[in-house]
Amino acid sequence: MGLEDRLLAALLLGGGRAPLKRLSGELGVPESDLLGAAMSLAARGYPLRVERGLLELRPADDLSVAGACAARLGTSLRFSVVYLERCGSTQDAARELAERGVAEGAVVVAEVQEAGRGRLGRSWHSAAGGVYATVVLRPPLRALRVLSLAASVAVTRVLELLGLDAKVKWPNDVQVSGRKVCGVLVEAAAEPGGVAYALVGIGLNVNNELPPELAGAATTLRELLGRPVPRLPLFLKLLEELDDVYARVREGRWGEVLREWRSKSSTLGRIVRVETPESAFTGLAVDVREDGALLIRLENGKIKEFYSGDVIHLR
Ligand code: BTN
């Protein structure tokens, strides 16, 4: 990991601030190198300042300024962020923008969603303190099916920066210690000859409260790390990683992203039950194919492919 990422990780884990002297000791690098890394992060849009020996991300948790910061990220996608204090679903707000022809890279992020939705018509709890965002993309048709896998890979990278052992569960969950911390929802609209737009929705449990009924199945970063995590730098880092995976996918290099997905998969190699609205199958999860399909070897030895469904890990 490069020094900029190590510094960012230390600041994220320190609640957004840390004395230079202490960081220098912890990271084993001279203060002058840390200042250099801090300046590079600041040039990338991270709101960093140094005052009396204290390095601080400020604001640290205020997503309303994410637009100004994201506009400076040196990403291929030019992110333009719309911040909403409250909305039904960021998917719907982003769809309106997409229908009006907004360029790819438009992002809607909301503090609270009143009708956040998950896959298969489920609802997504979206209390204040989480990150609920939808990115508008205009991918080539052949790339559409791997977008949700790619987005979950981007999320795992951010969680790894925080020292968490993040795993992906097909099709699009990100889990830590078997509990879901993030879900991805991709919705798309077709046009003659291709994809008009894809809406990549990401719900990341950060400092938000979860309803008691989800306690065993889901978790938040605050719970995993034992302290709140500043959402602004977390969100900016997520945009950078999304940009990286999307660039690969767009260029037809999604094999690289799928390799990473496989290496972080908690599904492959397990006996699973795949439930679809019509049926349920049990077998060994052997691979994800280049088009994102999950391949299951059934008891009769036949391989069955799935493009959607719920996976239950049996053993
Ligand atoms: C799932 O795991 O079922 C997918 C959850 C996706 C939730 C996100 S939050 C931002 C965006 N807006 C929504 O209404 N849903 C997605």
Side-chain angles (χ1 to χ4, degrees), residues 89-91 113 116-119 124 133-134 180 183-185 201-203:
S89 160
T90 55
Q91 295 292 103
Q113 296 186 114
R117 58 175 178 269
R119 287 188 318 115
W124 182 261
T134 300
K180 180 161 170 170
V184 175
L185 174 67
I202 298 179

